[in-house]
Amino acid sequence: SRPRVAIPPARSSKPGAKAASPRDMLRVGDVYRDLPLRAAAYISREGSADKARVVVMLEPMEATASLKAAAVGLYDEKGKLIVQATADQESLARTPPMIAAVAKMGTYRMRVAATDAAGRAGAVDSTLDVSLTGDGPLTLSSLVLGVAEEGRFAGRMQFYDEPTAVAYLEIYGVPKGELSAELQLAGLEGGPPAVRGAMRITGEPADDQHVALGGIPIAALPPGDVVVRAVVSLDGVPVGAVTRTLRKAER
Protein backbone atom coordinates (compact mmCIF):
# COMPACT_ATOMS: atom_id res chain seq x y z
CA SER A 1 0.00 0.00 0.00
CA ARG A 2 1.13 3.52 -0.64
CA PRO A 3 2.30 5.55 2.38
CA ARG A 4 -0.12 8.25 3.45
CA VAL A 5 0.14 11.19 5.83
CA ALA A 6 -3.07 12.60 7.29
CA ILE A 7 -2.90 16.27 8.29
CA PRO A 8 -5.96 17.33 10.30
CA PRO A 9 -7.40 20.71 9.28
CA ALA A 10 -7.02 23.69 11.57
CA ARG A 11 -10.09 24.66 13.55
CA SER A 12 -12.04 27.18 11.48
CA SER A 13 -15.29 28.97 11.98
CA LYS A 14 -18.09 27.27 10.05
CA PRO A 15 -20.77 29.44 8.41
CA GLY A 16 -23.56 29.96 10.89
CA ALA A 17 -21.62 28.41 13.77
CA LYS A 18 -21.07 30.33 16.97
CA ALA A 19 -17.47 31.53 17.19
CA ALA A 20 -15.41 30.35 20.13
CA SER A 21 -14.77 33.01 22.75
CA PRO A 22 -11.18 33.94 23.69
CA ARG A 23 -11.68 32.34 27.13
CA ASP A 24 -12.84 29.13 25.45
CA MET A 25 -9.75 29.13 23.23
CA LEU A 26 -7.50 29.27 26.30
CA ARG A 27 -8.86 25.94 27.53
CA VAL A 28 -8.15 23.88 24.42
CA GLY A 29 -5.11 23.15 22.30
CA ASP A 30 -6.86 23.73 18.96
CA VAL A 31 -5.33 25.91 16.29
CA TYR A 32 -7.33 29.01 15.31
CA ARG A 33 -6.15 30.71 12.14
CA ASP A 34 -9.17 32.55 10.75
CA LEU A 35 -7.91 35.72 12.42
CA PRO A 36 -4.10 36.06 12.05
CA LEU A 37 -2.62 37.75 15.12
CA ARG A 38 0.70 39.09 16.34
CA ALA A 39 1.44 39.46 20.05
CA ALA A 40 4.33 40.46 22.31
CA ALA A 41 4.76 40.53 26.09
CA TYR A 42 6.67 43.01 28.25
CA ILE A 43 7.81 42.38 31.82
CA SER A 44 8.07 45.00 34.57
CA ARG A 45 8.32 45.06 38.36
CA GLU A 46 5.37 44.24 40.58
CA GLY A 47 5.02 44.83 44.33
CA SER A 48 6.01 41.27 45.32
CA ALA A 49 9.63 40.15 44.94
CA ASP A 50 8.65 36.82 43.33
CA LYS A 51 6.11 38.25 40.89
CA ALA A 52 6.19 40.48 37.84
CA ARG A 53 3.72 42.45 35.80
CA VAL A 54 3.09 41.13 32.29
CA VAL A 55 1.69 43.51 29.68
CA VAL A 56 0.69 41.89 26.40
CA MET A 57 0.22 43.87 23.20
CA LEU A 58 -1.70 42.23 20.38
CA GLU A 59 -3.14 43.24 17.05
CA PRO A 60 -4.59 41.61 13.95
CA MET A 61 -2.22 41.28 11.02
CA GLU A 62 -4.93 42.68 8.75
CA ALA A 63 -5.08 46.46 9.13
CA THR A 64 -8.84 46.52 8.46
CA ALA A 65 -9.72 44.01 11.20
CA SER A 66 -11.12 45.25 14.50
CA LEU A 67 -10.82 43.14 17.66
CA LYS A 68 -14.02 42.51 19.58
CA ALA A 69 -12.66 40.40 22.47
CA ALA A 70 -9.27 39.12 23.61
CA ALA A 71 -7.69 37.10 26.42
CA VAL A 72 -4.26 35.82 27.43
CA GLY A 73 -3.31 32.68 29.33
CA LEU A 74 -0.02 31.50 30.87
CA TYR A 75 0.61 27.76 31.19
CA ASP A 76 3.22 26.03 33.34
CA GLU A 77 5.54 23.21 32.22
CA LYS A 78 2.77 20.65 32.83
CA GLY A 79 0.35 22.52 30.59
CA LYS A 80 -1.79 23.82 33.45
CA LEU A 81 -3.40 27.22 32.97
CA ILE A 82 -1.88 29.30 35.78
CA VAL A 83 -2.76 32.89 34.88
CA GLN A 84 -5.45 34.31 32.64
CA ALA A 85 -6.67 37.82 31.91
CA THR A 86 -9.33 39.29 29.64
CA ALA A 87 -9.19 42.63 27.87
CA ASP A 88 -11.86 45.18 28.75
CA GLN A 89 -13.31 47.58 26.18
CA GLU A 90 -10.97 50.39 27.21
CA SER A 91 -7.95 48.12 26.64
CA LEU A 92 -9.30 46.96 23.28
CA ALA A 93 -9.70 50.58 22.17
CA ARG A 94 -5.96 51.20 22.54
CA THR A 95 -3.58 51.10 19.58
CA PRO A 96 -2.47 48.37 19.85
CA PRO A 97 -4.85 46.65 22.30
CA MET A 98 -3.28 45.60 25.60
CA ILE A 99 -3.90 43.04 28.36
CA ALA A 100 -2.21 43.18 31.78
CA ALA A 101 -1.68 40.36 34.27
CA VAL A 102 0.52 39.45 37.25
CA ALA A 103 2.50 36.19 37.31
CA LYS A 104 5.17 34.50 39.41
CA MET A 105 8.68 34.52 37.99
CA GLY A 106 9.27 31.58 35.68
CA THR A 107 8.95 30.24 32.15
CA TYR A 108 5.51 29.81 30.62
CA ARG A 109 3.74 29.03 27.41
CA MET A 110 1.71 32.10 26.54
CA ARG A 111 -1.46 31.85 24.46
CA VAL A 112 -3.15 35.00 23.18
CA ALA A 113 -6.64 34.53 21.73
CA ALA A 114 -9.01 37.02 20.13
CA THR A 115 -12.11 37.42 17.98
CA ASP A 116 -12.92 40.25 15.60
CA ALA A 117 -16.11 42.07 14.62
CA ALA A 118 -16.67 39.59 11.79
CA GLY A 119 -16.72 36.66 14.23
CA ARG A 120 -13.36 35.23 13.20
CA ALA A 121 -11.18 33.58 15.85
CA GLY A 122 -7.41 33.57 16.15
CA ALA A 123 -4.82 32.35 18.66
CA VAL A 124 -1.04 32.54 18.84
CA ASP A 125 1.31 30.64 21.20
CA SER A 126 4.86 31.46 22.29
CA THR A 127 7.32 30.85 25.13
CA LEU A 128 7.52 33.61 27.74
CA ASP A 129 10.23 34.16 30.36
CA VAL A 130 8.69 36.16 33.21
CA SER A 131 11.71 37.74 34.88
CA LEU A 132 13.56 41.01 35.20
CA THR A 133 16.96 41.40 33.56
CA GLY A 134 20.01 41.55 35.83
CA ASP A 135 20.98 40.13 39.22
CA GLY A 136 23.28 42.89 40.49
CA PRO A 137 22.50 46.23 42.13
CA LEU A 138 20.08 47.14 39.34
CA THR A 139 17.42 45.19 37.46
CA LEU A 140 15.72 46.15 34.22
CA SER A 141 12.27 45.81 32.74
CA SER A 142 11.67 44.75 29.16
CA LEU A 143 12.51 47.32 26.52
CA VAL A 144 9.35 48.74 24.97
CA LEU A 145 9.25 50.56 21.64
CA GLY A 146 6.59 53.08 20.74
CA VAL A 147 5.85 56.69 19.88
CA ALA A 148 5.13 59.92 21.73
CA GLU A 149 1.45 60.88 21.59
CA GLU A 150 0.40 64.18 23.17
CA GLY A 151 3.43 64.05 25.45
CA ARG A 152 2.82 60.43 26.53
CA PHE A 153 4.48 57.19 25.55
CA ALA A 154 2.37 54.76 23.52
CA GLY A 155 3.68 51.30 22.63
CA ARG A 156 3.82 49.99 19.07
CA MET A 157 4.41 46.54 17.63
CA GLN A 158 5.23 47.74 14.12
CA PHE A 159 6.22 51.05 12.60
CA TYR A 160 5.32 52.48 9.22
CA ASP A 161 5.80 56.14 8.30
CA GLU A 162 6.51 57.52 11.79
CA PRO A 163 9.54 59.85 11.76
CA THR A 164 10.73 58.77 15.21
CA ALA A 165 10.37 55.75 17.46
CA VAL A 166 10.78 56.01 21.23
CA ALA A 167 12.47 53.40 23.44
CA TYR A 168 11.17 53.08 27.02
CA LEU A 169 12.96 51.25 29.84
CA GLU A 170 12.41 51.02 33.61
CA ILE A 171 15.45 50.68 35.91
CA TYR A 172 14.96 49.32 39.44
CA GLY A 173 17.27 49.70 42.45
CA VAL A 174 19.04 52.67 44.06
CA PRO A 175 22.16 53.36 41.96
CA LYS A 176 25.44 53.69 43.86
CA GLY A 177 27.18 55.83 41.29
CA GLU A 178 26.34 57.90 38.25
CA LEU A 179 23.54 56.23 36.31
CA SER A 180 23.53 56.44 32.52
CA ALA A 181 21.95 54.56 29.61
CA GLU A 182 22.85 54.28 25.94
CA LEU A 183 20.64 53.30 23.03
CA GLN A 184 22.25 51.23 20.28
CA LEU A 185 20.99 50.08 16.89
CA ALA A 186 22.40 46.98 15.23
CA GLY A 187 21.47 44.89 12.23
CA LEU A 188 21.80 41.57 14.09
CA GLU A 189 21.19 40.33 17.63
CA GLY A 190 24.54 40.60 19.43
CA GLY A 191 26.11 42.43 16.51
CA PRO A 192 28.12 45.66 16.75
CA PRO A 193 26.04 48.83 17.05
CA ALA A 194 25.71 50.91 13.89
CA VAL A 195 24.19 53.89 15.74
CA ARG A 196 24.62 55.03 19.34
CA GLY A 197 22.78 57.66 21.35
CA ALA A 198 22.32 58.63 25.01
CA MET A 199 19.00 57.98 26.72
CA ARG A 200 17.40 60.54 29.03
CA ILE A 201 16.88 59.24 32.57
CA THR A 202 14.11 60.63 34.74
CA GLY A 203 13.86 60.52 38.54
CA GLU A 204 15.95 61.61 41.49
CA PRO A 205 19.28 59.86 42.30
CA ALA A 206 17.86 58.31 45.49
CA ASP A 207 14.77 56.86 43.75
CA ASP A 208 14.54 53.07 43.44
CA GLN A 209 12.89 53.34 40.03
CA HIS A 210 14.08 55.37 37.07
CA VAL A 211 12.78 55.61 33.51
CA ALA A 212 15.13 55.85 30.54
CA LEU A 213 13.81 57.26 27.25
CA GLY A 214 15.54 57.52 23.90
CA GLY A 215 14.50 58.61 20.42
CA ILE A 216 15.24 56.61 17.27
CA PRO A 217 14.98 58.37 13.89
CA ILE A 218 13.39 55.82 11.58
CA ALA A 219 12.10 57.89 8.64
CA ALA A 220 15.11 56.95 6.48
CA LEU A 221 15.16 53.28 7.48
CA PRO A 222 14.07 50.80 4.79
CA PRO A 223 11.40 48.23 5.63
CA GLY A 224 12.82 45.41 7.71
CA ASP A 225 14.08 44.56 11.20
CA VAL A 226 16.60 46.44 13.33
CA VAL A 227 17.82 45.31 16.77
CA VAL A 228 17.50 48.03 19.42
CA ARG A 229 19.70 47.58 22.50
CA ALA A 230 19.59 49.64 25.72
CA VAL A 231 22.75 49.44 27.84
CA VAL A 232 22.62 50.71 31.44
CA SER A 233 25.87 51.75 33.17
CA LEU A 234 27.06 52.88 36.59
CA ASP A 235 30.04 55.25 36.52
CA GLY A 236 30.55 54.28 32.90
CA VAL A 237 30.64 50.52 33.55
CA PRO A 238 27.82 48.50 31.90
CA VAL A 239 25.66 46.65 34.45
CA GLY A 240 22.79 45.44 32.27
CA ALA A 241 21.35 45.42 28.77
CA VAL A 242 18.02 44.58 27.13
CA THR A 243 17.09 44.28 23.46
CA ARG A 244 14.00 44.51 21.29
CA THR A 245 13.49 44.13 17.55
CA LEU A 246 12.09 47.18 15.76
CA ARG A 247 10.12 46.21 12.68
CA LYS A 248 9.37 48.75 9.98
CA ALA A 249 6.75 47.65 7.46
CA GLU A 250 5.12 49.03 4.35
CA ARG A 251 1.47 49.98 4.49
Side-chain angles (χ1 to χ4, degrees), residues 96-189:
M98 301 172 65
I99 309 174
V102 175
K104 288 187 176 181
M105 303 289 188
T107 301
Y108 299 88
R109 175 174 66 88
M110 180 179 75
R111 165 166 275 210
V112 180
T115 56
D116 69 355
R120 298 181 299 170
V124 59
D125 295 83
S126 60
T127 300
L128 178 63
D129 180 14
V130 177
S131 64
L132 301 177
T133 297
D135 54 4
L138 301 178
T139 55
L140 311 177
S141 71
S142 298
L143 183 64
V144 188
L145 302 179
V147 296
E149 288 186 344
E150 299 179 353
R152 294 185 177 182
F153 176 83
R156 289 289 184 272
M157 298 188 67
Q158 286 196 156
F159 296 85
Y160 298 94
D161 52 5
E162 298 89 347
T164 304
V166 177
Y168 175 97
L169 173 67
E170 293 181 359
I171 305 169
Y172 312 115
V174 180
K176 295 182 180 180
E178 184 179 354
L179 182 65
S180 62
E182 182 183 63
L183 201 59
Q184 304 175 353
L185 271 65
L188 297 173
E189 179 74 28

Side-chain angles (χ1 to χ4, degrees), residues 32-48:
Y32 296 88
R33 294 176 178 162
D34 287 350
L35 177 64
L37 298 171
R38 64 173 64 94
Y42 305 87
I43 312 302
S44 60
R45 187 173 67 176
E46 185 57 28
S48 174

Side-chain angles (χ1 to χ4, degrees), residues 137-138 173-179 205-207 210 233-235 239:
L138 301 178
V174 180
K176 295 182 180 180
E178 184 179 354
L179 182 65
D207 293 344
H210 294 79
S233 300
L234 282 176
D235 294 329
V239 293

